[in-house]
Amino acid sequence: MNDLDPLVAAASADFAAAPTPAELENAKARFLGKAGRVTELLKGLAALSPDEKKTRGAEINQTKQRIEAALSARRAALAEAELDAQLRAEALDVTLPGRQRGLGGLHPVSRTMERIEAIFGSMGFDVADGPEIETDWMSFTALNNPENHPARSMQDTFYVDMKDEGGRWYNLRPHTSPMQVRYARAHAARYAGVDPMPEIRVIAPGRTYRVDSDATHSPMFHQCEGLWIGENVSFKDLKVVFTEFCRKFFESEDLRLRFRPSFFPFTEPSAEIDIAFASGPLKGQWLEVAGSGQVHPNVVRNFGLDPERYIGFAFGMGPDRLAMLRYGVNDLRLFFENDLRFLRQFN
Ligand code: PHE
């Protein structure tokens, strides 16, 4: 205890009262600064005798150290308070329930399309895409379906209130077959002068439209066209490729196929392709899955190719029907009603 204790107490009180580091530095200046109270005391030593200087000097130094200790303690306290405040401001309530993002899933028909693309892709087929609003020439005429020919009424087509250069109505494509023409013409143009032309091997999946609606028909449905043209492509190749595709698609080596004679204006000869499962609820029943045939010479000519030289086959299948068979769905309309209870089952 000495007469300097009150000074230490005053400094401690001042430091404690400083709410911020900046104000603490001001308080420090009042005691330890150049004109501060401790400095004043040290200056006062000059007037004392050597003996007095020694004792008084030691007292002042001790006082100075105690004030410095009080200052450091307050600095540390302020820094900690600041950190606390910052942590509190940035705090996360880890007990809150997470915000969920609804996870989307693929539609069963999209899954089927991807499966078709993967299998044909593995057999060297390109995948092409084309317009859903088509010209009359692409949907019909180029496919050997002459204007006013009765074969056009095989499809109840939607027409668009807009005419093409030839003065004929645009249509919502009733099949993906116009993609045969679009793809083959682009291919022939790209390889003009290349002899022999690289083979055309393509599938064209997409939406198609017809005036049709019941449990197995919808005005919008899907098709996947296939086309393979070269110098030496035969009906045998169609059988091999399509059989391979169906067996892979349905994961069944005992699946049977039947090529049933039929008619399409753009193929000759033509065949419907039926399949029969070796087991399961549909065992032994013939189910139609595609139309097919050797591409008609008039169509090959419309591809911009010489029908005396290039030959091949085309097919058009229904991915909706394939999805129904694969997943055991009995009403096509379920695919298009967007009922999540139905759709979730596929994800
Ligand atoms: N476009 C035909 C249809 O929609 C299917 C088909 C495609 C037939 C290619 C033969 C060749 O019914």
Side-chain angles (χ1 to χ4, degrees), residues 155 175 177 180 210 223 225 264 266-267 291-292 314-316:
Q155 294 149 346
H175 52 182
S177 299
Q180 288 183 34
R210 286 185 208 175
Q223 278 200 344
E225 198 75 8
F264 297 101
F266 32 94
T267 46
S292 66
F315 56 81

Side-chain angles (χ1 to χ4, degrees), residues 134-299:
E134 262 302 2
T135 61
D136 190 84
W137 192 78
M138 286 289 182
S139 283
F140 302 110
T141 315
L143 292 165
N144 200 34
N145 228 323
E147 292 174 17
N148 308 318
H149 192 282
R152 284 195 175 206
S153 59
M154 281 170 80
Q155 294 149 346
D156 295 308
T157 313
F158 285 109
Y159 286 92
V160 179
D161 192 7
M162 178 172 70
K163 285 187 174 172
D164 62 24
E165 289 150 23
R168 302 193 66 97
W169 302 111
Y170 276 91
N171 56 77
L172 292 184
R173 64 178 181 186
H175 52 182
T176 43
S177 299
M179 280 307 294
Q180 288 183 34
V181 186
R182 286 186 177 274
Y183 188 90
R185 287 172 71 86
H187 185 95
R190 181 180 317 136
Y191 294 106
V194 179
D195 197 354
M197 174 191 79
E199 286 190 348
I200 295 171
R201 222 183 285 178
V202 66
I203 59 165
R207 277 185 280 271
T208 45
Y209 305 83
R210 286 185 208 175
V211 185
D212 228 346
S213 188
D214 60 38
T216 53
H217 295 88
S218 142
M220 188 286 298
F221 59 106
H222 297 87
Q223 278 200 344
C224 180
E225 198 75 8
L227 179 67
W228 187 356
I229 299 284
E231 286 183 306
N232 215 349
V233 183
S234 73
F235 218 94
K236 177 193 72 189
D237 297 306
L238 167 63
K239 284 190 153 185
V240 169
V241 161
F242 211 83
T243 302
E244 172 78 357
F245 163 72
C246 289
R247 291 187 173 158
K248 277 201 172 142
F249 183 86
F250 289 108
E251 297 166 281
S252 161
E253 282 304 312
D254 335 313
L255 188 93
R256 284 184 301 149
L257 278 85
R258 175 171 84 175
F259 289 74
R260 180 164 41 87
S262 184
F263 170 79
F264 297 101
F266 32 94
T267 46
E268 181 59 39
S270 306
E272 303 281 356
I273 307 178
D274 301 336
I275 60 168
F277 294 106
S279 57
L282 295 170
K283 178 180 172 178
Q285 211 172 304
W286 287 112
L287 308 156
E288 186 185 317
V289 292
S292 66
Q294 185 162 301
V295 180
H296 194 287
N298 287 345
V299 178

